[in-house]
């Protein structure tokens, strides 16, 4: 089966579960460990990632296929993708501040931080290397964002419950968080092969 | 070669397009048009361009809300009541607002962005706060890092201050500083002197305004002052006063003492002035003379350093205060100095028996 034949919805679900960008590819680990102490703030960050990842994947697909490919400049993809992501985040921040102050407050510092989240850049690079179509890219971007959010919210939930648990002192904080992430990743990887997307 | 040029062109083109897009977006999203600010239910109405902070927008229209930190959100002085507009309370404000204030829509004006019509309420007297274009009459070295600066008011202009209040000095942009910056300094001159204002300024390493004063300001220069502000003044009771100052915190007490002398207030007063070494002391002779002339006033300089060859009290100012009084049941405390010194002194005074609401202070934030 050709990659282009895969239905975008399949890609979406696969990106959430079997091909979870965080737990299967380990991209975006830094905020995953740093901002997963509370469910509330992890939902805020997750929402921002879903939105930015979806939009920038699509934007970057357009830029890549309509500018870089015709000029044979595919090797510029890294720098171009980063600029596009940075500019997009800036515009979104201005727009949100104007339109919804409460959303702006909820996202807070997370929005600008997302610019350097490697899951965002990873999403754009995967859709290029897997040769997705525009629709597939949209599904992949949205799914990856949702998958990332699912992972961080689950992590935050676990860590909130863990507060009462006794952890070996040497493993408190990031140590136990990494172990939990590893176990979660095992669970997600258990599903790999159910849906094939590349 | 062509390939490299092409790559550069495409990269520049994409950057340019994105920059233009950002500018367009800024024009649409960050342009809030003209907003109307209603002060005290219609007492004064200001129409200003939106986008700036409430504090700076108001000051552009000559309404001055006191702010000791100059709008960085670190002093919590620029509170005002916002009846309409202003958006939700920001996390940068909450540390400075009590629950009571939050309930009453009190906000920090430096953190509110003017994006819509806003209705605010501020104390009546703030509308009479003035901006003075003064001339520097004299600059005196008081110690190695403290200068006394005398600002002469323009001809015909007078200032009405309560002894103990402070005023803001505005430093114009200089060197790497691109914005006018203001900081608060207590007034050291007596209130009856309404032609000039004395400030005592201590050099803060890398401080924007103090560096300006120490390195750029010369006699004869113009300087902008805004004020006066503050509720640090002698309360109208007959309790014994304990004044405690450190460093440049001596300023408001000088003003208060001369005011007491002129008004014939003879409350028993002890003034503790804490410093590290002899080189940090100033105005000692002046205060010693006052204390000789007036039996109700006692001046106690105290040095915390290990220096020999002086007869002043030794030790931290808190210890000196604590051992000077057996009990403090009929006393009021007035403090001016660094936050650390004030917190320590408040502990000593409350331990001595002064209720917290009878301790007044100006913290140099």
């Amino acid at each position: 089966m050709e990659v282009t034949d895969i239905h975008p919805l399949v890609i979406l679900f696969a990106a959430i579960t079997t091909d979870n960008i965080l737990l299967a590819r380990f991209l975006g680990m830094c905020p995953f460990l740093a901002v997963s102490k509370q469910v509330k703030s992890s939902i805020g960050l997750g929402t921002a990632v879903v939105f930015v990842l979806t939009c920038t994947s699509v934007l970057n697909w357009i830029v890549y296929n309509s500018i870089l490919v015709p000029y044979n400049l595919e090797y510029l993809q890294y720098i171009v993708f980063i600029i596009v992501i940075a500019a997009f985040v800036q515009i979104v921040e201005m727009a949100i501040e104007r339109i919804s102050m409460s959303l702006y407050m909820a996202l807070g510092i997370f929005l600008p931080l997302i610019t350097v989240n490697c899951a965002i850049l990873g999403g754009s690079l995967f859709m290029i290397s897997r040769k997705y179509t525009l629709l597939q890219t949209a599904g992949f971007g949205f799914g990856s964002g949702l998958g990332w959010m699912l992972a961080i919210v689950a992590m935050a939930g676990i860590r909130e419950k863990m507060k009462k648990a006794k952890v070996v002192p040497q493993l408190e904080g990031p140590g136990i968080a990494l172990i939990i992430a590893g176990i979660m990743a095992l669970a997600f990887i258990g599903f790999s092969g159910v849906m094939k997307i590349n | 070669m062509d390939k490299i040029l092409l790559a550069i062109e495409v990269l520049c083109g994409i950057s340019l397009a994105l920059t233009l897009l950002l500018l367009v977006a800024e024009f649409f999203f960050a342009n809030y048009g003209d907003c109307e600010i209603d002060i005290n239910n219609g007492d004064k109405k200001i129409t200003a361009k939106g986008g700036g902070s409430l504090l700076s927008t108001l000051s552009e229209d000559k309404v001055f809300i006191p702010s000791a930190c100059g709008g960085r959100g670190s002093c919590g002085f620029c509170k005002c009541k916002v009846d309409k507009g202003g958006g939700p309370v920001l996390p940068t404000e909450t540390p400075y607002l009590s629950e009571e204030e939050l309930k009453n829509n009190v906000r920090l004006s430096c953190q509110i962005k003017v994006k819509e019509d806003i209705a605010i309420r501020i104390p009546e007297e703030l509308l009479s706060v003035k901006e003075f274009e003064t001339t520097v009459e004299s600059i005196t070295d008081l110690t190695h890092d403290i200068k006394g600066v005398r600002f002469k008011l323009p001809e015909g202009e007078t200032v009405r201050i309560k002894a103990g209040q402070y005023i803001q000095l505005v430093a114009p942009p200089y060197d790497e500083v691109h914005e006018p910056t203001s900081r608060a300094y207590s007034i050291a001159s007596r209130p009856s002197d309404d032609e000039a204002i004395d400030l005592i300024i201590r050099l803060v390493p890398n401080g924007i305004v103090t560096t300006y004063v120490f390195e750029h300001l010369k006699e004869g220069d113009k300087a902008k002052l805004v004020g006066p502000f503050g509720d640090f003044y002698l309360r109208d009771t007959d309790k014994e006063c304990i004044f405690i100052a450190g460093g440049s915190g001596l300023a408001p007490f000088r003003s208060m003492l001369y005011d007491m002398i002129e008004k014939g207030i003879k409350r028993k007063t002890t003034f503790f002035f804490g410093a590290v070494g002899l080189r940090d002391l100033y105005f000692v002779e002046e205060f010693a003379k006052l204390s000789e002339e007036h039996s109700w006033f006692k001046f106690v300089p105290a040095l915390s350093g290990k220096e020999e060859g002086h007869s002043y009290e030794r030790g931290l100012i808190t210890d000196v205060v604590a051992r000077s009084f057996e009990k403090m049941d009929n006393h009021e405390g007035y403090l001016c100095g660094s936050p650390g010194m004030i917190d320590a002194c408040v502990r000593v005074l409350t331990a001595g028996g002064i209720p917290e609401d009878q301790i007044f202070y100006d913290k140099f934030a």
Side-chain angles (χ1 to χ4, degrees):
Chain A
M1 193 168 84
E2 286 291 310
V3 171
T4 40
D5 295 337
I6 306 171
H7 197 278
L9 276 178
V10 174
I11 295 185
L12 191 151
F13 283 110
I16 298 175
T17 52
T18 59
D19 212 50
N20 189 299
I21 196 158
L22 212 166
L23 293 169
R25 304 276 166 188
F26 281 88
L27 289 176
M29 280 302 283
C30 169
F32 176 66
L33 294 177
V35 195
S36 60
K37 290 203 183 76
Q38 284 172 339
V39 171
K40 201 174 155 219
S41 51
S42 64
I43 290 179
L45 182 58
T47 321
V49 168
V50 172
F51 184 62
V52 174
L53 190 51
T54 313
C55 297
T56 55
S57 302
V58 172
L59 263 178
N60 281 335
W61 189 93
I62 298 170
V63 170
Y64 182 83
N65 285 296
S66 60
I67 300 177
L68 297 185
V69 172
Y71 287 112
N72 289 323
L73 292 171
E74 289 89 345
Y75 64 91
L76 281 180
Q77 51 178 291
Y78 294 89
I79 187 161
V80 168
F81 288 173
I82 278 289
I83 311 178
V84 170
I85 291 169
F88 179 77
V89 170
Q90 283 266 313
I91 294 174
V92 169
E93 196 182 359
M94 272 191 270
I96 291 183
E97 191 184 357
R98 179 70 191 245
I99 296 160
S100 163
M101 204 54 201
S102 52
L103 183 62
Y104 182 74
M105 301 280 304
L107 294 181
I109 187 71
F110 300 137
L111 203 50
L113 275 181
I114 281 176
T115 315
V116 289
N117 184 335
C118 47
I120 309 281
L121 182 62
S124 290
L125 294 175
F126 278 136
M127 61 96 180
I128 298 300
S129 68
R130 291 175 187 171
K131 303 195 170 59
Y132 284 157
T133 63
L134 184 57
L135 259 182
Q136 286 175 323
T137 299
F140 177 68
F142 187 54
S144 296
L146 281 179
W148 198 91
M149 182 170 172
L150 175 75
I152 193 173
V153 172
M155 180 65 155
I158 294 173
R159 285 182 84 172
E160 276 191 2
K161 297 270 184 226
M162 288 277 299
K163 267 185 207 151
K164 293 194 187 92
K166 278 196 187 120
V167 180
V168 186
Q170 286 78 3
L171 286 178
E172 267 174 10
I176 193 72
L178 275 170
I179 294 174
I180 298 170
I183 298 170
M184 285 170 73
L186 281 178
F188 273 77
I189 284 174
F191 292 105
S192 62
V194 176
M195 288 177 272
K196 198 168 158 40
I197 57 168
N198 59 347
Chain B
M1 195 63 202
D2 281 352
K3 210 177 165 194
I4 298 175
L5 278 180
L6 183 68
I8 295 173
E9 278 166 22
V10 168
L11 201 57
C12 291
I14 291 176
S15 307
L16 188 72
L18 288 172
T19 315
L20 285 177
L21 202 64
L22 270 174
L23 286 174
V24 171
E26 193 173 350
F27 179 76
F28 277 108
F29 292 129
N31 176 5
Y32 295 98
D34 282 344
C35 302
E36 192 184 74
I37 303 174
D38 175 304
I39 303 171
N40 291 357
N41 252 331
D43 268 7
K44 186 167 174 156
K45 277 197 172 134
I46 294 173
T47 311
K49 211 169 162 326
S53 79
L54 181 59
L55 181 72
S56 61
T57 310
L58 285 173
S59 74
E60 269 162 35
D61 270 282
K62 311 279 174 227
V63 175
F64 302 106
I65 295 179
S67 155
C69 66
R72 293 177 301 173
S74 69
C75 72
F77 283 7
C78 61
K79 285 174 187 168
C80 71
K81 224 177 136 175
V82 178
D83 293 333
K84 195 186 105 203
V89 179
L90 302 170
T92 41
E93 298 175 73
T94 38
Y96 300 98
L97 301 171
S98 67
E99 261 176 45
E100 183 77 27
E101 286 172 328
L102 284 172
K103 225 183 282 162
N104 287 320
N105 298 328
V106 174
R107 305 283 304 273
L108 291 191
S109 63
C110 69
Q111 299 299 313
I112 297 178
K113 209 166 164 182
V114 180
K115 297 182 193 171
E116 56 197 330
D117 291 353
I118 290 183
I120 60 167
R121 260 183 283 167
I122 55 176
E124 202 72 33
E125 63 262 24
L126 285 184
L127 285 172
S128 60
V129 164
K130 280 198 278 191
E131 187 178 273
F132 302 97
E133 276 302 333
T134 64
T135 316
V136 178
E137 191 176 303
S138 64
I139 301 179
T140 330
D141 284 315
L142 298 175
T143 73
H144 62 102
D145 66 348
I146 298 179
K147 279 185 197 290
V149 187
R150 188 169 172 80
F151 298 91
K152 185 134 185 52
L153 297 182
E155 222 34 65
E157 187 92 76
T158 54
V159 58
R160 286 172 54 124
I161 59 167
K162 273 186 184 168
Q165 281 189 306
Y166 65 88
I167 200 158
Q168 287 180 338
L169 172 60
V170 186
Y174 69 95
D175 294 352
E176 297 293 296
V177 183
H178 303 298
E179 299 253 306
T181 312
S182 58
R183 294 286 184 271
Y185 298 97
S186 295
I187 300 170
S189 45
R190 59 192 85 190
S192 59
D193 182 355
D194 57 6
E195 287 168 4
I197 286 173
D198 282 323
L199 301 183
I200 295 176
I201 299 171
R202 181 180 203 165
L203 180 64
V204 178
N206 298 322
I208 295 175
V209 178
T210 59
T211 308
Y212 172 75
V213 170
F214 273 67
E215 287 174 12
H216 298 271
L217 197 66
K218 296 183 302 293
E219 285 174 13
D221 280 359
K222 293 275 176 221
K224 204 198 281 181
L225 293 178
V226 179
F229 302 108
D231 49 9
F232 184 66
Y233 46 80
L234 198 67
R235 299 302 191 271
D236 192 13
T237 65
D238 48 12
K239 293 198 167 135
E240 189 177 331
C241 301
I242 303 175
F243 292 175
I244 309 175
S248 54
L250 180 140
F253 298 116
R254 185 170 180 263
S255 181
M256 280 154 92
L257 279 169
Y258 280 114
D259 194 43
M260 288 166 82
I261 293 168
E262 280 175 6
K263 289 185 176 150
I265 301 170
K266 292 200 163 85
R267 287 165 66 175
K268 200 158 184 287
T269 301
T270 316
F271 178 20
F272 296 91
F273 179 44
V276 177
L278 283 171
R279 65 170 195 160
D280 299 310
L281 289 177
Y282 59 101
F283 285 161
V284 173
E285 280 147 35
E286 186 177 330
F287 283 110
K289 192 161 158 273
L290 286 181
S291 122
E292 266 171 42
E293 288 168 1
H294 305 276
S295 56
W296 49 267
F297 173 58
K298 195 172 149 205
F299 180 52
V300 186
L303 299 183
S304 60
K306 299 240 178 304
E307 224 166 328
E308 292 301 325
H310 64 81
S311 55
Y312 301 124
E313 291 278 347
R314 287 172 189 280
L316 286 176
I317 194 72
T318 43
D319 302 333
V320 177
V321 172
R323 67 173 180 248
S324 300
F325 296 92
E326 271 176 26
K327 52 181 189 210
M328 307 180 191
D329 49 357
N330 191 31
H331 295 68
E332 268 175 3
Y334 293 87
L335 319 171
C336 186
S338 65
M341 185 211 99
I342 287 184
D343 293 340
C345 288
V346 168
R347 278 196 294 276
V348 168
L349 295 182
T350 44
I354 305 183
E356 222 161 298
D357 60 354
Q358 286 169 29
I359 303 175
F360 309 95
Y361 48 79
D362 252 359
K363 257 188 209 181
F364 296 150

